[in-house]
Amino acid sequence: MGRARHWVCALVMAAGVSGCGTDTSTGSEREQTMNQDEAAERVQEHIDNAVAALPEGLDLTPVGDVNFAACDDPTDGGSTDRVTVGRSYWLDGLPVEDNEANIDLLHEYWTANGYRVLTDSRPDDVFVSVENEEDSFRMSVQSSVQGSLSIGASSPCVWPEGAPGS
């Protein structure tokens, strides 16, 4: 993988997990949240559902493993002992000349399925990020310098074991 592709991978993960979102425990850090394994499953569900809106013949190539990152700057005022869970994939098998149409398909899927657009940098930069209004999971799609698309998703802050001190 070239240097530019590594750089893009880092950006996808950073964009995907940069905002911790709202605590899924309805605001109280003492209440139980989903645990990090459940959050990883939900991240994958968000990705799988979004990718289903794209043309057939697509291959998902993981960008590393599932990422568990410290929620060191939570936007919900909760504990920094929680984590965010993220995952990214290259969308292999999609022609570069169809990037705009494929991002439009994702944008349409997201806006029709309860996501609000956080950033849409097109046409200057091929990057769109969204947040699910129901569970605060975030997703993004972007293009590498070579034109390869990648998609990522991240959870809001969760307790690693589902509750504080577990």
Side-chain angles (χ1 to χ4, degrees):
M1 188 179 316
R3 177 181 291 203
R5 196 162 174 165
H6 279 290
W7 182 78
V8 170
C9 292
L11 284 177
V12 169
M13 285 308 297
V17 297
S18 64
C20 289
T22 306
D23 183 353
T24 58
S25 67
T26 65
S28 172
E29 66 179 82
R30 296 260 177 230
E31 294 180 29
Q32 188 164 339
T33 64
M34 66 178 67
N35 66 38
Q36 67 184 18
D37 293 333
E38 293 166 332
E41 288 175 19
R42 187 74 181 122
V43 160
Q44 191 64 50
E45 288 174 20
H46 278 281
I47 291 170
D48 291 343
N49 291 339
V51 168
L54 295 172
E56 292 184 20
L58 164 70
D59 289 318
L60 292 178
T61 303
V63 178
D65 294 323
V66 174
N67 181 355
F68 301 98
C71 191
D72 56 3
D73 188 20
T75 57
D76 61 8
S79 173
T80 58
D81 293 332
R82 297 170 300 159
V83 296
T84 60
V85 180
R87 186 78 202 243
S88 292
Y89 292 92
W90 289 108
L91 301 175
D92 291 330
L94 296 175
V96 172
E97 59 271 13
D98 294 342
N99 279 359
E100 186 175 324
N102 288 323
I103 292 175
D104 285 342
L105 288 171
L106 287 170
H107 188 276
E108 289 170 18
Y109 166 79
W110 286 327
T111 57
N113 287 281
Y115 293 82
R116 68 182 172 95
V117 176
L118 301 173
T119 306
D120 187 343
S121 302
R122 299 174 295 163
D124 298 329
D125 188 25
V126 183
F127 176 76
V128 177
S129 68
V130 297
E131 182 177 85
N132 184 279
E133 294 178 315
E134 185 177 314
D135 64 12
S136 298
F137 278 67
R138 292 185 175 187
M139 296 195 71
S140 64
V141 63
Q142 73 178 33
S143 174
S144 71
V145 174
Q146 296 86 5
S148 300
L149 291 180
S150 59
I151 191 168
S154 64
S155 74
C157 298
V158 298
W159 292 105
E161 300 302 320
S166 300

